[in-house]
Amino acid sequence: MRIDLHTHSTASDGTQPPAGVVSSAALAGLDVFALTDHDTTTGWDEAAAAAAYHGIELVRGIEISCQHQGVSIHLLGYLQDPTAPGLLEELVRSRQGRQTRAQRMVELLSQDLQLHWDDVLEHVDPGATIGRPHIADALVAKGIVASRYEAFAEYLYTGSPYFVPHYAPDPVRAVRLVGEAGGVAVMAHPFASKRGRVVDDAVIEAMASAGMAGLEVHHRDHSGDEVRHGVDLAASLGLFVTGSSDYHGVGKSNLLGENTTDPSVLEQIEGLATGAKVLRP
Ligand code: AMP
Ligand code: FE
Ligand code: FE
Ligand code: ZN
């Protein structure tokens, strides 16, 4: 069984529509995969139909933007009820915050570069969660940089003069809201220090106390030491460990199935969830 529990589509900052991610997942030989777009579940229905067609199991999920004392944290939620009001309210607020933040960043960039808001909108699907990768795509299309990676390294990194933060809920609150929605919360790439600042273990402990069930330890943004620390910390907090690709289509070099999750962990996720079911063809 090959299980990959973290992927993105054009419902957020991936480059393939949900059905495209599904067909790529089937082609990559995955048996089960999760669609986890940033702050939205709008890709779920298209993914569900495509998963039935391609004969692949689908875990419907989300990656929730959170913030703790200025540090960005990503929380994966699996099999939650997408209509649960508490979580929904926070997601609407985050997506609105992202919209004004992206506009502010483009305003700042346009003072130095030939870039306009319309250039960015060309790369955002209607209703999609907007993020820095869409600004990156516009910079690439304009020939200002060669790739999303270069766009982040030059202009979009956290702390850049063009960087603007956006509203996101506290992670402990987000964990509770996922639980109230019948979902299962897993912290995404908790120690990925190459992305920017990370929180210390006390925050992860507080998230575990609030009902978080797992840590995404096996992820390409973690060093060997970070993986070892994650395995130890998960064991000491009674959390399970997942591994995933964080696939973004051609937006990143992450390959489907490059990290995978043990079938026994998927069983635990299914056992804990009450908001939605794993879809089996
Ligand atoms: P945002 O959600 O707007 O804060 O942007 C963060 C997203 O940008 C992440 O989910 C990644 O998909 C992507 N990202 C972050 N850092 C980089 C990087 N150095 N190169 C390419 N993409 C990145
Ligand atoms: Fe992303
Ligand atoms: Fe993430
Ligand atoms: Zn992700």
Side-chain angles (χ1 to χ4, degrees):
M1 282 275 272
R2 295 184 69 227
I3 303 168
D4 184 343
L5 294 180
H6 187 165
T7 71
H8 296 268
S9 74
T10 49
S12 64
D13 59 1
T15 61
Q16 285 176 298
V21 178
V22 175
S23 63
S24 293
L27 204 65
L30 294 175
D31 300 289
V32 188
F33 89 102
L35 182 71
T36 54
D37 277 304
H38 297 284
D39 301 326
T40 187
T41 59
T42 54
W44 280 20
D45 290 348
E46 181 181 320
Y53 177 79
H54 287 284
I56 185 170
E57 293 184 25
L58 174 68
V59 178
R60 290 166 293 172
I62 190 166
E63 184 172 23
I64 302 164
S65 311
C66 305
Q67 204 180 123
H68 180 78
Q69 295 178 351
V71 179
S72 158
I73 294 173
H74 287 171
L75 183 72
L76 294 161
Y78 297 115
L79 304 174
Q80 79 279 15
D81 172 357
T83 67
L87 182 56
L88 208 53
E89 242 168 65
E90 284 293 349
L91 297 175
V92 168
R93 207 176 153 193
S94 288
R95 287 200 307 268
Q96 283 169 349
R98 283 172 161 283
Q99 189 77 22
T100 39
R101 173 269 201 141
Q103 281 169 321
R104 277 291 297 139
M105 284 187 71
V106 171
E107 260 171 48
L108 293 172
L109 287 160
S110 69
Q111 292 170 8
D112 296 325
L113 303 169
Q114 280 296 322
L115 181 75
H116 301 285
W117 182 237
D118 286 349
D119 302 325
V120 174
L121 286 184
E122 275 178 35
H123 300 274
V124 191
D125 266 21
T129 301
I130 192 167
R132 284 176 283 169
H134 299 107
I135 303 176
D137 289 346
L139 292 169
V140 172
K142 293 231 125 194
I144 296 169
V145 294
S147 67
R148 280 190 180 182
Y149 288 107
E150 197 183 321
F152 272 83
E154 295 281 324
Y155 301 108
L156 304 176
Y157 59 91
T158 305
S160 132
Y162 307 106
F163 176 79
V164 178
H166 66 83
Y167 169 81
D170 179 86
V172 166
R173 175 169 166 72
V175 167
R176 291 215 180 91
L177 291 173
V178 170
E180 283 166 20
V184 180
V186 174
M187 189 174 177
H189 42 72
F191 316 108
S193 52
K194 60 171 98 162
R195 288 169 173 246
R197 284 165 63 214
V198 298
V199 292
D200 51 46
D201 292 352
V203 176
I204 300 176
E205 211 176 308
M207 292 165 75
S209 299
M212 183 170 72
L215 289 185
E216 184 186 60
V217 171
H218 302 289
H219 186 288
R220 70 155 57 200
D221 290 353
H222 287 158
S223 68
D225 279 346
E226 288 165 346
V227 168
R228 279 182 286 279
H229 177 64
V231 169
D232 290 348
L233 183 65
S236 77
L237 295 175
L239 304 175
F240 59 67
V241 158
T242 67
S244 307
S245 64
D246 206 351
Y247 177 74
H248 281 69
V250 297
K252 282 182 154 184
S253 36
N254 307 35
L255 299 174
L256 284 162
E258 68 178 23
N259 285 292
T260 55
T261 295
D262 199 84
S264 67
V265 170
L266 179 60
E267 271 174 40
Q268 289 180 64
I269 292 174
E270 271 198 273
L272 291 167
T274 56
K277 297 220 173 308
V278 176
L279 297 179
R280 301 213 157 78

PDB file of all heavy atoms in Angstrom, residues 6 8 12-14 36 38 63 74 98 133 148 152 189 195 246-248 252, ligand 2:
ATOM      1  N   HIS A   6      -0.561  14.356   1.472  1.00  0.00           N
ATOM      2  CA  HIS A   6      -0.416  15.820   1.397  1.00  0.00           C
ATOM      3  C   HIS A   6      -0.162  16.237  -0.053  1.00  0.00           C
ATOM      4  O   HIS A   6       0.946  16.055  -0.568  1.00  0.00           O
ATOM      5  CB  HIS A   6       0.751  16.235   2.311  1.00  0.00           C
ATOM      6  CG  HIS A   6       0.947  17.708   2.488  1.00  0.00           C
ATOM      7  ND1 HIS A   6       1.734  18.231   3.497  1.00  0.00           N
ATOM      8  CD2 HIS A   6       0.504  18.774   1.778  1.00  0.00           C
ATOM      9  CE1 HIS A   6       1.757  19.550   3.414  1.00  0.00           C
ATOM     10  NE2 HIS A   6       1.024  19.905   2.373  1.00  0.00           N
ATOM     11  N   HIS A   8      -1.515  19.296  -3.333  1.00  0.00           N
ATOM     12  CA  HIS A   8      -2.204  20.555  -3.652  1.00  0.00           C
ATOM     13  C   HIS A   8      -2.654  20.599  -5.111  1.00  0.00           C
ATOM     14  O   HIS A   8      -1.954  20.104  -5.994  1.00  0.00           O
ATOM     15  CB  HIS A   8      -1.277  21.746  -3.389  1.00  0.00           C
ATOM     16  CG  HIS A   8      -0.908  21.886  -1.953  1.00  0.00           C
ATOM     17  ND1 HIS A   8      -1.619  22.670  -1.087  1.00  0.00           N
ATOM     18  CD2 HIS A   8       0.073  21.309  -1.221  1.00  0.00           C
ATOM     19  CE1 HIS A   8      -1.080  22.589   0.127  1.00  0.00           C
ATOM     20  NE2 HIS A   8      -0.051  21.767   0.065  1.00  0.00           N
ATOM     21  N   SER A  12      -5.786  25.649  -4.584  1.00  0.00           N
ATOM     22  CA  SER A  12      -4.877  26.547  -3.865  1.00  0.00           C
ATOM     23  C   SER A  12      -3.660  26.803  -4.754  1.00  0.00           C
ATOM     24  O   SER A  12      -3.829  27.331  -5.866  1.00  0.00           O
ATOM     25  CB  SER A  12      -4.517  26.018  -2.473  1.00  0.00           C
ATOM     26  OG  SER A  12      -3.797  24.813  -2.512  1.00  0.00           O
ATOM     27  N   ASP A  13      -2.456  26.408  -4.317  1.00  0.00           N
ATOM     28  CA  ASP A  13      -1.259  26.794  -5.067  1.00  0.00           C
ATOM     29  C   ASP A  13      -0.599  25.660  -5.833  1.00  0.00           C
ATOM     30  O   ASP A  13       0.559  25.764  -6.216  1.00  0.00           O
ATOM     31  CB  ASP A  13      -0.253  27.485  -4.130  1.00  0.00           C
ATOM     32  CG  ASP A  13       0.159  26.590  -2.967  1.00  0.00           C
ATOM     33  OD1 ASP A  13      -0.315  25.434  -2.893  1.00  0.00           O
ATOM     34  OD2 ASP A  13       0.957  27.043  -2.121  1.00  0.00           O
ATOM     35  N   GLY A  14      -1.350  24.563  -6.089  1.00  0.00           N
ATOM     36  CA  GLY A  14      -0.850  23.540  -7.005  1.00  0.00           C
ATOM     37  C   GLY A  14      -1.056  24.003  -8.432  1.00  0.00           C
ATOM     38  O   GLY A  14      -1.754  24.993  -8.680  1.00  0.00           O
ATOM     39  N   THR A  36      -5.053  18.125  -0.010  1.00  0.00           N
ATOM     40  CA  THR A  36      -4.977  19.000   1.175  1.00  0.00           C
ATOM     41  C   THR A  36      -4.663  20.434   0.751  1.00  0.00           C
ATOM     42  O   THR A  36      -3.578  20.946   1.032  1.00  0.00           O
ATOM     43  CB  THR A  36      -3.883  18.505   2.142  1.00  0.00           C
ATOM     44  OG1 THR A  36      -2.648  18.381   1.405  1.00  0.00           O
ATOM     45  CG2 THR A  36      -4.241  17.173   2.776  1.00  0.00           C
ATOM     46  N   HIS A  38      -4.581  24.494   0.596  1.00  0.00           N
ATOM     47  CA  HIS A  38      -4.477  25.518   1.639  1.00  0.00           C
ATOM     48  C   HIS A  38      -5.833  26.183   1.877  1.00  0.00           C
ATOM     49  O   HIS A  38      -6.403  26.818   0.966  1.00  0.00           O
ATOM     50  CB  HIS A  38      -3.479  26.610   1.236  1.00  0.00           C
ATOM     51  CG  HIS A  38      -2.065  26.135   1.059  1.00  0.00           C
ATOM     52  ND1 HIS A  38      -1.233  25.840   2.107  1.00  0.00           N
ATOM     53  CD2 HIS A  38      -1.327  25.922  -0.049  1.00  0.00           C
ATOM     54  CE1 HIS A  38      -0.048  25.474   1.663  1.00  0.00           C
ATOM     55  NE2 HIS A  38      -0.067  25.503   0.342  1.00  0.00           N
ATOM     56  N   GLU A  63      -5.102  21.872   4.332  1.00  0.00           N
ATOM     57  CA  GLU A  63      -3.919  22.354   5.063  1.00  0.00           C
ATOM     58  C   GLU A  63      -4.261  23.768   5.544  1.00  0.00           C
ATOM     59  O   GLU A  63      -4.413  24.693   4.740  1.00  0.00           O
ATOM     60  CB  GLU A  63      -2.674  22.364   4.170  1.00  0.00           C
ATOM     61  CG  GLU A  63      -1.408  22.755   4.928  1.00  0.00           C
ATOM     62  CD  GLU A  63      -0.127  22.585   4.108  1.00  0.00           C
ATOM     63  OE1 GLU A  63      -0.203  22.580   2.859  1.00  0.00           O
ATOM     64  OE2 GLU A  63       0.951  22.465   4.716  1.00  0.00           O
ATOM     65  N   HIS A  74       1.568  25.156   9.550  1.00  0.00           N
ATOM     66  CA  HIS A  74       0.541  24.542   8.716  1.00  0.00           C
ATOM     67  C   HIS A  74      -0.030  23.330   9.433  1.00  0.00           C
ATOM     68  O   HIS A  74       0.724  22.478   9.912  1.00  0.00           O
ATOM     69  CB  HIS A  74       1.129  24.132   7.363  1.00  0.00           C
ATOM     70  CG  HIS A  74       1.409  25.311   6.474  1.00  0.00           C
ATOM     71  ND1 HIS A  74       2.091  25.214   5.286  1.00  0.00           N
ATOM     72  CD2 HIS A  74       1.072  26.618   6.602  1.00  0.00           C
ATOM     73  CE1 HIS A  74       2.171  26.410   4.722  1.00  0.00           C
ATOM     74  NE2 HIS A  74       1.565  27.283   5.495  1.00  0.00           N
ATOM     75  N   ARG A  98      -5.683  36.624   3.051  1.00  0.00           N
ATOM     76  CA  ARG A  98      -4.714  36.321   1.999  1.00  0.00           C
ATOM     77  C   ARG A  98      -4.904  37.208   0.775  1.00  0.00           C
ATOM     78  O   ARG A  98      -3.938  37.597   0.109  1.00  0.00           O
ATOM     79  CB  ARG A  98      -4.863  34.852   1.564  1.00  0.00           C
ATOM     80  CG  ARG A  98      -4.255  33.852   2.523  1.00  0.00           C
ATOM     81  CD  ARG A  98      -4.637  32.454   2.089  1.00  0.00           C
ATOM     82  NE  ARG A  98      -3.779  31.429   2.654  1.00  0.00           N
ATOM     83  CZ  ARG A  98      -2.561  31.147   2.248  1.00  0.00           C
ATOM     84  NH1 ARG A  98      -2.028  31.817   1.224  1.00  0.00           N
ATOM     85  NH2 ARG A  98      -1.857  30.206   2.824  1.00  0.00           N
ATOM     86  N   PRO A 133       2.787  31.728  -4.162  1.00  0.00           N
ATOM     87  CA  PRO A 133       3.124  31.024  -5.413  1.00  0.00           C
ATOM     88  C   PRO A 133       2.435  31.612  -6.645  1.00  0.00           C
ATOM     89  O   PRO A 133       2.990  31.563  -7.747  1.00  0.00           O
ATOM     90  CB  PRO A 133       2.660  29.585  -5.140  1.00  0.00           C
ATOM     91  CG  PRO A 133       2.807  29.439  -3.653  1.00  0.00           C
ATOM     92  CD  PRO A 133       2.378  30.768  -3.107  1.00  0.00           C
ATOM     93  N   ARG A 148       9.371  29.433  -9.561  1.00  0.00           N
ATOM     94  CA  ARG A 148       8.818  29.779  -8.254  1.00  0.00           C
ATOM     95  C   ARG A 148       9.926  29.854  -7.212  1.00  0.00           C
ATOM     96  O   ARG A 148       9.917  30.743  -6.357  1.00  0.00           O
ATOM     97  CB  ARG A 148       7.785  28.734  -7.815  1.00  0.00           C
ATOM     98  CG  ARG A 148       6.426  28.885  -8.443  1.00  0.00           C
ATOM     99  CD  ARG A 148       5.424  27.952  -7.757  1.00  0.00           C
ATOM    100  NE  ARG A 148       4.099  28.086  -8.362  1.00  0.00           N
ATOM    101  CZ  ARG A 148       3.021  27.432  -7.950  1.00  0.00           C
ATOM    102  NH1 ARG A 148       3.111  26.583  -6.938  1.00  0.00           N
ATOM    103  NH2 ARG A 148       1.849  27.601  -8.540  1.00  0.00           N
ATOM    104  N   PHE A 152      10.792  33.127  -4.843  1.00  0.00           N
ATOM    105  CA  PHE A 152      10.846  33.153  -3.374  1.00  0.00           C
ATOM    106  C   PHE A 152      12.213  33.621  -2.894  1.00  0.00           C
ATOM    107  O   PHE A 152      12.306  34.433  -1.971  1.00  0.00           O
ATOM    108  CB  PHE A 152      10.512  31.779  -2.778  1.00  0.00           C
ATOM    109  CG  PHE A 152       9.037  31.587  -2.543  1.00  0.00           C
ATOM    110  CD1 PHE A 152       8.206  31.183  -3.571  1.00  0.00           C
ATOM    111  CD2 PHE A 152       8.475  31.848  -1.309  1.00  0.00           C
ATOM    112  CE1 PHE A 152       6.837  31.024  -3.377  1.00  0.00           C
ATOM    113  CE2 PHE A 152       7.112  31.699  -1.090  1.00  0.00           C
ATOM    114  CZ  PHE A 152       6.289  31.285  -2.127  1.00  0.00           C
ATOM    115  N   HIS A 189       4.938  19.360   8.194  1.00  0.00           N
ATOM    116  CA  HIS A 189       6.370  19.727   8.224  1.00  0.00           C
ATOM    117  C   HIS A 189       6.735  20.600   9.433  1.00  0.00           C
ATOM    118  O   HIS A 189       7.108  21.773   9.272  1.00  0.00           O
ATOM    119  CB  HIS A 189       6.780  20.416   6.910  1.00  0.00           C
ATOM    120  CG  HIS A 189       5.778  21.408   6.374  1.00  0.00           C
ATOM    121  ND1 HIS A 189       5.564  22.635   6.955  1.00  0.00           N
ATOM    122  CD2 HIS A 189       4.920  21.357   5.333  1.00  0.00           C
ATOM    123  CE1 HIS A 189       4.633  23.294   6.288  1.00  0.00           C
ATOM    124  NE2 HIS A 189       4.218  22.525   5.299  1.00  0.00           N
ATOM    125  N   ARG A 195      12.293  26.729   5.577  1.00  0.00           N
ATOM    126  CA  ARG A 195      11.206  27.591   5.107  1.00  0.00           C
ATOM    127  C   ARG A 195      11.125  28.898   5.881  1.00  0.00           C
ATOM    128  O   ARG A 195      10.415  29.808   5.492  1.00  0.00           O
ATOM    129  CB  ARG A 195       9.859  26.907   5.326  1.00  0.00           C
ATOM    130  CG  ARG A 195       9.578  25.767   4.421  1.00  0.00           C
ATOM    131  CD  ARG A 195       8.360  25.050   4.941  1.00  0.00           C
ATOM    132  NE  ARG A 195       7.945  24.027   4.011  1.00  0.00           N
ATOM    133  CZ  ARG A 195       6.805  24.051   3.341  1.00  0.00           C
ATOM    134  NH1 ARG A 195       5.951  25.029   3.508  1.00  0.00           N
ATOM    135  NH2 ARG A 195       6.503  23.088   2.506  1.00  0.00           N
ATOM    136  N   ASP A 246       3.768  16.535  -0.288  1.00  0.00           N
ATOM    137  CA  ASP A 246       3.474  17.969  -0.419  1.00  0.00           C
ATOM    138  C   ASP A 246       3.586  18.390  -1.889  1.00  0.00           C
ATOM    139  O   ASP A 246       4.142  19.442  -2.216  1.00  0.00           O
ATOM    140  CB  ASP A 246       4.439  18.787   0.460  1.00  0.00           C
ATOM    141  CG  ASP A 246       3.880  20.125   0.903  1.00  0.00           C
ATOM    142  OD1 ASP A 246       2.814  20.519   0.402  1.00  0.00           O
ATOM    143  OD2 ASP A 246       4.526  20.771   1.747  1.00  0.00           O
ATOM    144  N   TYR A 247       3.030  17.534  -2.739  1.00  0.00           N
ATOM    145  CA  TYR A 247       3.043  17.741  -4.201  1.00  0.00           C
ATOM    146  C   TYR A 247       2.303  19.021  -4.576  1.00  0.00           C
ATOM    147  O   TYR A 247       1.209  19.278  -4.070  1.00  0.00           O
ATOM    148  CB  TYR A 247       2.382  16.521  -4.835  1.00  0.00           C
ATOM    149  CG  TYR A 247       2.208  16.543  -6.319  1.00  0.00           C
ATOM    150  CD1 TYR A 247       3.292  16.354  -7.175  1.00  0.00           C
ATOM    151  CD2 TYR A 247       0.935  16.686  -6.890  1.00  0.00           C
ATOM    152  CE1 TYR A 247       3.125  16.327  -8.547  1.00  0.00           C
ATOM    153  CE2 TYR A 247       0.751  16.653  -8.266  1.00  0.00           C
ATOM    154  CZ  TYR A 247       1.855  16.475  -9.083  1.00  0.00           C
ATOM    155  OH  TYR A 247       1.678  16.443 -10.439  1.00  0.00           O
ATOM    156  N   HIS A 248       2.908  19.826  -5.463  1.00  0.00           N
ATOM    157  CA  HIS A 248       2.279  21.059  -5.967  1.00  0.00           C
ATOM    158  C   HIS A 248       2.271  21.071  -7.509  1.00  0.00           C
ATOM    159  O   HIS A 248       2.376  22.142  -8.111  1.00  0.00           O
ATOM    160  CB  HIS A 248       3.029  22.292  -5.484  1.00  0.00           C
ATOM    161  CG  HIS A 248       2.748  22.718  -4.059  1.00  0.00           C
ATOM    162  ND1 HIS A 248       3.146  21.992  -2.974  1.00  0.00           N
ATOM    163  CD2 HIS A 248       2.106  23.816  -3.558  1.00  0.00           C
ATOM    164  CE1 HIS A 248       2.779  22.625  -1.852  1.00  0.00           C
ATOM    165  NE2 HIS A 248       2.143  23.720  -2.181  1.00  0.00           N
ATOM    166  N   LYS A 252       6.579  22.851  -7.763  1.00  0.00           N
ATOM    167  CA  LYS A 252       7.680  22.470  -6.878  1.00  0.00           C
ATOM    168  C   LYS A 252       8.234  21.155  -7.395  1.00  0.00           C
ATOM    169  O   LYS A 252       7.527  20.420  -8.094  1.00  0.00           O
ATOM    170  CB  LYS A 252       7.156  22.235  -5.454  1.00  0.00           C
ATOM    171  CG  LYS A 252       6.898  23.484  -4.655  1.00  0.00           C
ATOM    172  CD  LYS A 252       6.437  23.121  -3.266  1.00  0.00           C
ATOM    173  CE  LYS A 252       6.758  24.227  -2.272  1.00  0.00           C
ATOM    174  NZ  LYS A 252       6.396  23.811  -0.912  1.00  0.00           N
TER     175      LYS A 252
HETATM  176 FE    FE B   2       1.747  25.465  -0.898  1.00  0.00          FE
END
